[in-house]
Amino acid sequence: YTKIDRLLRKGLDRFGVKVLGVIPHEKLLTYPSISELAEDLDMEILYSKKDSLQNVVRKFVIGDMQPHNALDAFTENTLLIVPGNREGLILTALIGNMLENNVVYYVSGIVFTNGIRPHQKLLDLIYRTNIPLLLVEEDSFTIASKINSTIFKVRAEDSEKISRIKSLIEEYVDIEYICNQI
């Protein structure tokens, strides 16, 4: 960041352009919420509890592994992408949420692919959690590719992101200069 800031200011200064600020890349701002995923990728929401659609997704895992391997793959704010007939992986995701009590949303959400819903008894178990459930007709690879290539925007309900943007602007933008020019 420091090198880019210095080079940008130096380069634009040669053209008489004052740089009002250079904001560093903030990873938090790139993470979508479950509601953004559902809306932007036209997913059907099967289930969500109050505010669970605001769960943040920091990474996604495609359910193509054995359940015992999946426990290590699930980290804080993971989205599981899996066909609904992979009960072992789905149960593993639930166990991960139960084991990690210091993490609010260990598994942020589950996307069931190929239009396959889990057995109703498994759904009844998931309904006891705060894990939102989404359904798509596409296969796991296709939906993961779509998520990976989508650019998510900050929305009015993204209070954590908005707060971070405000603090970044206060820290890295010359607000005083802008106000004096008005």
Side-chain angles (χ1 to χ4, degrees), residues 73-113:
F74 296 133
T75 57
E76 183 178 357
N77 299 112
T78 298
L79 176 72
L80 174 61
I81 302 171
V82 63
N85 61 358
R86 296 291 311 269
E87 289 89 358
L89 279 170
I90 297 165
L91 286 168
T92 301
L94 297 178
I95 289 168
N97 269 33
M98 291 182 225
L99 292 175
E100 296 293 332
N101 59 5
N102 62 332
V103 178
V104 178
Y105 304 116
Y106 201 70
V107 173
S108 295
I110 301 174
V111 177
F112 299 121
T113 59

Side-chain angles (χ1 to χ4, degrees), residues 16-58:
V17 176
K18 177 174 176 52
V19 175
L20 301 175
V22 177
I23 298 175
H25 176 74
E26 181 70 30
K27 196 81 169 147
L28 167 72
L29 301 178
T30 66
Y31 298 139
S33 67
I34 296 293
S35 106
E36 288 174 276
L37 286 173
E39 186 177 318
D40 290 0
L41 300 175
D42 199 30
M43 298 177 172
E44 179 184 345
I45 299 171
L46 294 179
Y47 169 76
S48 70
K49 277 191 178 176
K50 183 182 179 187
D51 296 331
S52 67
L53 291 178
Q54 296 312 311
N55 293 358
V56 173
V57 176
R58 293 182 185 262

